[in-house]
Amino acid sequence: MFYRRIGDDLQVALTLPQHAEALFALTDENRAYLKEWLPWLGAVTTVDATRRFIDLTLDNFAKGTALHEVLLYQGEIVGVLGFNTIDKTNGIGRVGYWLGEAYTRRGLMTAAVADLLHLGFQELQLQRVEIRCATENRRSRAIPERLGFQFEGTLRSVERVGQRLHSPAVYGLLRSEFQAKD
Ligand SMILES: CC(C)(COP(=O)(O)OP(=O)(O)OC[C@H]1O[C@@H](n2cnc3c(N)ncnc32)[C@H](O)[C@@H]1OP(=O)(O)O)[C@@H](O)C(=O)NCCC(=O)NCCS
């Protein structure tokens, strides 16, 4: 298993096929909570769909174009995060994340994204990390804001989630900025 320890009770692990059942259960329990912000829930209605997703993320990890982690709190999967895409040509990692609702508001995701920044800048040698959050998604936006990202602007009407077209706020952190505050 490939773990990174973040705190006494908190770890991340590379998402593997053996996580499929627990990850699907967490997704299914939190469907109503997540569907306001995430566009893919309708496509994940069985554990096989989660398995196919994990296989895809591992293919992309092998190619160096993504890195998907499960977040483990006291040994249980409580959320996911990672670089949904890695643009190898330009050295850019684009971050995504979600938590089961019961595990929100404890700082778990902020700590996990801080660790992902170390992985991205120090081990993957990225030059930029980007986070896009729907403008109204205050809790998601608070994560890059806590971690010292710059707000760079808003893209208008680029992502359909349910009936709504979201306009993401774009946050960026450059390698030089990360090194200056690390
Ligand atoms: C986005 C999401 C992961 C943020 O969850 P979160 O619980 O707010 O984030 P964290 O785990 O970093 O916790 C931060 C909260 O814990 C509190 N906290 C407690 N201890 C903390 C610590 N040591 N460090 C930072 N925050 C701490 C913060 O004050 C904050 O709570 P507040 O909003 O009431 O002030 C979650 O809302 C989610 O999964 N949403 C649905 C999916 C989604 O929107 N994904 C993002 C798409 S771009």
Side-chain angles (χ1 to χ4, degrees):
M1 294 286 274
F2 303 94
Y3 284 111
R4 284 170 71 86
R5 185 177 174 279
I6 299 177
D8 285 345
D9 288 327
L10 197 62
Q11 296 173 314
V12 287
L14 186 68
T15 309
L16 295 174
Q18 67 217 58
H19 297 130
E21 296 210 351
L23 185 53
F24 175 71
L26 185 73
T27 307
D28 210 34
E29 280 158 25
N30 286 280
R31 210 167 270 286
Y33 169 64
L34 298 173
K35 76 171 188 218
E36 187 178 359
W37 305 115
L38 301 178
W40 45 263
L41 283 157
V44 182
T45 54
T46 62
V47 70
D48 275 346
T50 297
R51 243 179 233 119
R52 285 194 295 276
F53 168 73
I54 293 173
D55 288 347
L56 182 68
T57 67
L58 287 172
D59 282 350
N60 290 337
F61 177 64
K63 289 183 208 139
T65 58
L67 168 59
H68 196 271
E69 296 175 332
V70 284
L71 181 63
L72 298 154
Y73 180 66
Q74 297 179 341
E76 301 288 324
I77 296 181
V78 298
V80 305
L81 73 155
F83 294 117
N84 291 340
T85 60
I86 297 173
D87 170 347
K88 290 203 287 187
T89 307
N90 297 302
I92 302 172
R94 297 195 174 88
V95 177
Y97 41 70
W98 62 265
L99 274 173
E101 189 175 9
Y103 303 97
T104 58
R105 310 191 78 173
R106 307 178 197 199
L108 302 183
M109 191 54 80
T110 300
V113 175
D115 179 71
L116 188 68
L117 295 178
H118 280 93
L119 197 57
F121 287 121
Q122 291 171 348
E123 295 192 29
L124 304 178
Q125 301 299 317
L126 298 177
Q127 64 84 20
R128 169 183 166 87
V129 172
E130 191 177 298
I131 304 185
R132 295 181 179 193
C133 319
T135 308
E136 306 81 2
N137 195 344
R138 192 180 59 77
R139 290 193 189 287
S140 182
R141 293 184 66 165
I143 290 175
E145 287 169 3
R146 271 184 214 111
L147 294 174
F149 283 62
Q150 269 196 37
F151 170 63
E152 296 176 337
T154 304
L155 300 175
R156 295 177 303 156
S157 297
V158 298
E159 187 179 46
R160 188 174 293 286
V161 181
Q163 302 301 311
R164 290 162 64 196
L165 264 176
H166 286 298
S167 296
V170 179
Y171 291 89
L173 184 68
L174 304 185
R175 184 183 182 75
S176 53
E177 294 164 344
F178 173 79
Q179 284 169 334
K181 69 186 184 60
D182 196 39

